[in-house]
């Protein structure tokens, strides 16, 4: 245990045990709870970040909830029948001789126990009080542990920590930039970095070889439980590598973090192609803690009489014991939900015990021929008591909807099922083709296409969707932790990509001129990765909401109830910046 003594305290509240009986100690902290005991005595639970200790004081002292105090006295064993074995310090108490009130306190704005559910805005407005809760203490300390394990992991492998600037020109991550107006050049703006992408690649041109940074990234996007305007990434880049080298390096740092928190080192992370992930899990970030995989049924329904299954693709999932688990109302709600997700419908059937083995019943069962029924049962390995759900549609829609349905029906709680890391590889280079025929890149435009697919880059239109890229994601329990790629270091390939993306000569110069120029001076083959520390910490801490692992987060609407950011600035300041605020659009 670390020595945390100071000139004011000899011990930490939560560390005192029966072994300390007889010692005179001084502890400092906040009054957690007060109970009167008879006429003259009171029990005060004094709390610091290590826990609470019971202090016996004279009841005449005015010690209220959250007062800050220093208590000095002898540690003694509690009488046997009053020991509290649920508490680390439950066998002892301090017989207080001297009390020093270090600060008085207003009554706390909300109770600090873990049971009371407090509105998040109120928690964030008084975050300094909220941080005293053991949950927040634990989460922030877990976060620090992860940061230091990750740092160590990178340094052990020769990565050099380099800080890149916050005030920059735009980065090509594809989200909206936060901008900062320039006073010296009114009408011009800096962008805050969406990532250090361009700088880290320039570090490779600069011979750094292995760069890393625990970097703050800013993206002006709508917030969700797993997203904040500003977030932290472990950002890394390395030279003379292929994607396996990047996996080894990042895997080492992530395994360090997981081990630091859980005590177990995860084994080598498996890999799955993007296509396989889509086909089997209907997602590019599959949660592989549970089965319920999407099963291909298209060939069973080739030439089917049943209208609902006359579609380019049919897949199904099986819910074990679904007949018991789901009411008719719940099933109807699922059908509606799937329609909202974009499917024409959701076909469901119960599996019952028929005369000669399992059979399909209810729902759309009557539309299936006997051969189709038994083929579906076989393909899904269904047994009586299961529910089966089928979607027939365009392949893209089938995967998407069944992927979401699978999560809806089977996803375990965040802290169950262990940590299942997974590399997703061979992403498509382009997401879709826009109406004007221009492909939409899946990542930033410096992502290297798969070498086997370079030939396809000469094509146009839909054929381009076949091009795979050398980019990859790291997924943990259904969350995308981060992504990276091998970068383009050849100007012919880069030019072709710009051409395909419709980024003309002028725009290239304006946006990336400095970057393209740098590559004329000898750019090594390189690649890298970035993963979100907030998400990793949240998962390791068993939290679903990343705000629980950030000391001072913004609310879902992007506001900070503590400091009232964002706030207005005065007219003089605006003048200096050459800015005028327009009245709100009506
Ligand atoms: N800069 C990318 C991102 O932030 C990651 C990478 O390609 O290294 O998503």
């Amino acid at each position: 245990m670390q020595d945390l003594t100071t000139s004011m305290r000899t011990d930490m509240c939560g560390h005192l045990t029966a072994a300390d009986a007889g010692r005179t100690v001084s502890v400092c902290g906040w009054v957690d709870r007060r109970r009167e005991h008879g006429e003259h005595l009171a029990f005060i639970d004094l709390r610091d970040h290590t826990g609470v200790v019971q202090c016996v004081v004279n009841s005449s002292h005015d010690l209220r909830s959250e007062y800050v105090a220093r208590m000095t006295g002898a540690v003694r064993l509690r009488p046997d029948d009053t020991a509290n074995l649920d508490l680390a310090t439950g066998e002892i108490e301090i017989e207080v001789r001297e009390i020093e009130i270090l600060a008085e306190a207003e009554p706390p704005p909300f109770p600090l126990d873990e049971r009371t559910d407090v509105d998040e805005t109120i928690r964030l407005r008084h975050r300094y009080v909220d941080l005293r809760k053991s949950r927040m203490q634990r989460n922030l300390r877990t976060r620090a542990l992860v940061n230091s394990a990750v740092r160590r992991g990178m340094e052990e492998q020769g990565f050099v920590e380099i800080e890149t600037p916050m005030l920059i020109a735009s980065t090509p991550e594809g989200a909206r930039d936060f901008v900062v107006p320039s006073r010296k050049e009114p009408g011009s703006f800096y962008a805050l970095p969406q990532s250090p992408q361009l700088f880290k690649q320039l570090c490779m041109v600069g011979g750094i070889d292995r760069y890393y940074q625990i970097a703050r990234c800013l993206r002006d996007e709508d917030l969700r439980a797993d997203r904040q305007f500003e977030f932290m990434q472990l950002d890394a880049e390395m030279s003379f590598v292929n994607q396996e080298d990047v996996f080894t390096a990042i895997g080492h740092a992530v395994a360090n973090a997981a081990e630091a928190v859980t005590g177990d080192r995860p084994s080598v992370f498996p890999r799955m192609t993007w296509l396989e992930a889509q086909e089997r899990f209907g997602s590019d970030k599959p949660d592989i803690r549970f089965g319920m995989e999407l099963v291909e049924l298209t060939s069973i329904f080739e030439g089917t009489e049943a209208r609902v299954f006359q579609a380019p693709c049919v897949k199904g999932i099986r819910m074990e014991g679904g007949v018991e688990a789901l009411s008719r109302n719940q099933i109807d709600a699922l059908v509606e939900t799937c329609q909202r997700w974009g499917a024409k419908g959701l076909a469901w059937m119960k599996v019952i015990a028929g005369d000669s083995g399992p059979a399909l019943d209810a729902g759309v069962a009557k539309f299936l021929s006997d051969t189709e029924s038994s083929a579906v049962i076989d393909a899904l390995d269904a047994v009586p008591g299961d529910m089966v759900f089928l979607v027939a549609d365009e392949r893209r829609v089938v995967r998407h909807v069944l992927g979401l349905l699978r999560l809806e029906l089977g996803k375990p709680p965040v802290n169950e099922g262990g940590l299942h890391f997974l590399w997703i590889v061979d992403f498509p280079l382009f997401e879709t083709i826009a109406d004007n025929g221009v492909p939409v890149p899946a990542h930033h435009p410096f992502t290297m296409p798969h070498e086997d697919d370079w030939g396809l880059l000469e094509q146009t239109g839909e054929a381009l969707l076949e091009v795979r890229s050398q980019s990859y994601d790291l997924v943990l329990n259904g969350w995308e932790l981060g992504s990276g790629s091998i970068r383009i270091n050849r100007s012919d390939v880069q030019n072709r990509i710009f051409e395909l993306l419709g980024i003309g000569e002028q725009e290239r110069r304006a946006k990336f001129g400095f970057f393209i120029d740098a590559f004329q001076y000898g750019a090594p083959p390189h690649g890298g990765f970035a993963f979100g520390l907030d998400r990793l910490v949240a998962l390791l801490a068993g939290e679903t909401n990343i705000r629980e692992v950030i000391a001072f987060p913004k609310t879902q609407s992007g506001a900070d109830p503590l400091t009232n950011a964002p706030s207005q600035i005065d007219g003089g300041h605006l003048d200096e910046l050459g800015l005028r605020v327009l009245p709100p659009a009506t």
Side-chain angles (χ1 to χ4, degrees):
M1 219 177 281
Q2 277 167 324
D3 178 10
L4 300 175
T5 55
T6 66
S7 50
M8 298 187 75
R9 68 184 178 205
T10 61
D11 290 84
M12 300 303 289
C13 297
H15 291 166
L16 293 169
T17 66
D20 296 298
R23 283 182 56 219
T24 294
V25 298
S26 292
V27 289
C28 298
W30 287 261
V31 172
D32 195 63
R33 227 152 53 101
R34 175 184 178 129
R35 278 155 295 142
E36 304 307 318
H37 184 65
E39 257 178 65
H40 302 296
L41 290 181
F43 288 134
I44 302 280
D45 283 343
L46 196 69
R47 180 190 69 237
D48 62 22
H49 72 83
T50 62
V52 294
V53 63
Q54 175 167 302
C55 303
V56 187
V57 303
N58 189 311
S59 59
S60 61
H61 285 284
D62 186 21
L63 277 165
R64 300 189 210 162
S65 210
E66 300 307 310
Y67 271 36
V68 186
R70 172 175 188 249
M71 310 248 185
T72 301
V75 177
R76 68 177 183 206
L77 291 175
R78 295 191 202 178
D80 266 353
D81 53 336
T82 62
N84 175 358
L85 297 180
D86 292 337
L87 202 66
T89 60
E91 284 178 278
I92 53 105
E93 60 196 8
I94 302 176
E95 190 184 4
V96 175
R97 214 179 49 218
E98 196 188 321
I99 297 178
E100 199 180 332
I101 294 181
L102 302 169
E104 294 179 352
E106 293 292 321
F110 43 81
L112 288 182
D113 62 73
E114 304 294 323
R115 292 174 303 280
T116 319
D117 225 2
V118 183
D119 177 70
E120 197 184 27
T121 311
I122 299 179
R123 285 180 61 197
L124 293 182
R125 179 169 311 135
H126 302 279
R127 188 59 149 184
Y128 40 84
V129 171
D130 193 51
L131 291 180
R132 291 181 198 159
K133 286 187 191 163
S134 53
R135 173 189 188 179
M136 290 308 299
Q137 289 285 331
R138 198 172 49 241
N139 287 354
L140 293 183
R141 284 163 207 279
T142 297
R143 184 178 185 113
L145 208 59
V146 168
N147 275 345
S148 100
V150 161
R151 252 203 184 103
R152 200 168 6 90
M154 298 310 281
E155 276 159 15
E156 279 162 359
Q157 302 177 97
F159 284 81
V160 181
E161 184 173 7
I162 290 182
E163 290 138 344
T164 52
M166 290 301 277
L167 296 174
I168 63 170
S170 201
T171 20
E173 297 292 354
R176 204 178 289 117
D177 284 324
F178 276 101
V179 295
V180 178
S182 155
R183 179 176 56 84
K184 295 266 186 198
E185 249 182 77
S188 291
F189 296 81
Y190 298 98
L192 298 176
Q194 292 187 34
S195 79
Q197 186 65 34
L198 299 179
F199 291 101
K200 68 173 171 175
Q201 291 193 242
L202 294 180
C203 284
M204 296 303 103
V205 181
I208 297 294
D209 196 63
R210 292 185 173 203
Y211 142 97
Y212 90 98
Q213 179 179 196
I214 293 191
R216 189 173 296 274
C217 302
L218 296 110
R219 297 181 192 177
D220 189 0
E221 292 180 299
D222 291 337
L223 305 188
R224 299 194 305 247
D226 63 351
R227 206 174 256 174
Q228 285 271 302
F229 285 149
E230 45 186 308
F231 55 95
M232 303 305 290
Q233 287 196 327
L234 169 78
D235 192 51
E237 196 73 13
M238 49 201 306
S239 293
F240 307 108
V241 290
N242 64 16
Q243 94 185 9
E244 287 299 322
D245 298 311
V246 179
F247 293 172
T248 307
I250 298 295
H252 178 75
V254 173
N256 266 15
E259 187 177 10
V261 177
T262 66
D264 286 329
R265 190 168 188 88
S267 48
V268 175
F269 309 158
R271 275 126 235 228
M272 192 183 285
T273 65
W274 175 88
L275 191 61
E276 185 181 348
Q278 290 289 0
E279 291 294 329
R280 287 175 54 196
F281 299 96
S283 168
D284 57 6
K285 42 178 194 285
D287 188 340
I288 53 169
R289 285 177 300 164
F290 68 107
M292 223 190 244
E293 290 189 20
L294 281 51
V295 177
E296 186 64 48
L297 306 171
T298 309
S299 64
I300 297 175
F301 291 100
E302 251 164 37
T304 183
E305 306 266 300
R307 291 275 297 277
V308 276
F309 297 119
Q310 291 169 357
C313 171
V314 186
K315 281 178 179 277
I317 58 175
R318 175 179 73 92
M319 183 184 183
E320 200 182 312
V323 172
E324 271 279 301
L326 294 175
S327 70
R328 183 56 207 254
N329 282 347
Q330 284 171 309
I331 297 173
D332 290 343
L334 288 174
V335 174
E336 269 178 38
T337 310
C338 288
Q339 285 167 338
R340 242 190 308 115
W341 287 334
K344 287 192 212 53
L346 171 69
W348 57 270
M349 290 170 277
K350 296 180 175 180
V351 185
I352 56 165
D355 296 335
S356 49
L360 296 176
D361 188 39
V364 296
K366 57 180 177 293
F367 301 120
L368 272 67
S369 70
D370 289 348
T371 334
E372 287 166 351
S373 290
S374 54
V376 166
I377 291 171
D378 280 354
L380 284 163
D381 260 336
V383 296
D386 294 347
M387 285 285 295
V388 298
F389 295 96
L390 275 57
V391 173
D393 219 307
E394 297 294 332
R395 182 161 293 271
R396 196 175 39 82
V397 176
V398 172
R399 288 172 185 161
H400 172 70
V401 171
L402 279 181
L404 291 174
L405 184 65
R406 168 180 180 267
L407 293 178
E408 178 84 19
L409 297 175
K411 191 176 177 66
V414 65
N415 49 3
E416 280 178 22
L419 299 174
H420 290 268
F421 292 96
L422 181 67
W423 288 107
I424 303 292
V425 299
D426 291 354
F427 271 78
L429 190 63
F430 303 112
E431 223 153 57
T432 50
I433 308 290
D435 290 342
N436 59 2
V438 174
V440 179
H443 292 94
H444 47 68
F446 313 114
T447 306
M448 182 71 107
H450 204 293
E451 274 175 45
D452 298 344
D453 296 348
W454 282 6
L456 289 173
L457 288 173
E458 295 314 316
Q459 318 251 5
T460 51
E462 294 284 317
L464 288 171
L465 296 180
E466 301 294 312
V467 181
R468 291 164 299 165
S469 68
Q470 295 189 50
S471 68
Y472 31 81
D473 275 5
L474 180 60
V475 172
L476 172 56
N477 295 1
W479 287 31
E480 181 201 321
L481 273 191
S483 54
S485 59
I486 298 299
R487 324 297 183 187
I488 300 173
N489 74 322
R490 290 177 41 156
S491 53
D492 55 340
V493 181
Q494 186 66 71
N495 285 335
R496 178 64 188 147
I497 296 290
F498 279 142
E499 199 179 357
L500 283 170
L501 296 179
I503 304 180
E505 195 56 43
Q506 238 183 347
E507 192 181 346
R508 273 178 233 181
R509 291 280 352 139
K511 279 196 174 149
F512 311 120
F514 68 98
F515 188 69
I516 298 167
D517 288 348
F519 277 57
Q520 310 299 317
Y521 293 94
H526 61 286
F529 195 78
F531 71 78
L533 281 161
D534 306 284
R535 289 185 189 173
L536 178 62
V537 174
L539 285 166
L540 292 175
E543 295 283 3
T544 36
N545 190 327
I546 60 168
R547 296 194 288 271
E548 300 295 348
V549 298
I550 298 174
F552 299 104
K554 307 271 185 294
T555 60
Q556 193 108 354
S557 62
D560 175 5
L562 174 67
T563 64
N564 277 329
S567 56
Q568 304 193 337
I569 57 174
D570 66 45
H573 197 173
L574 283 175
D575 286 346
E576 229 176 14
L577 297 168
L579 295 178
R580 277 249 185 295
V581 177
L582 295 175
T586 45

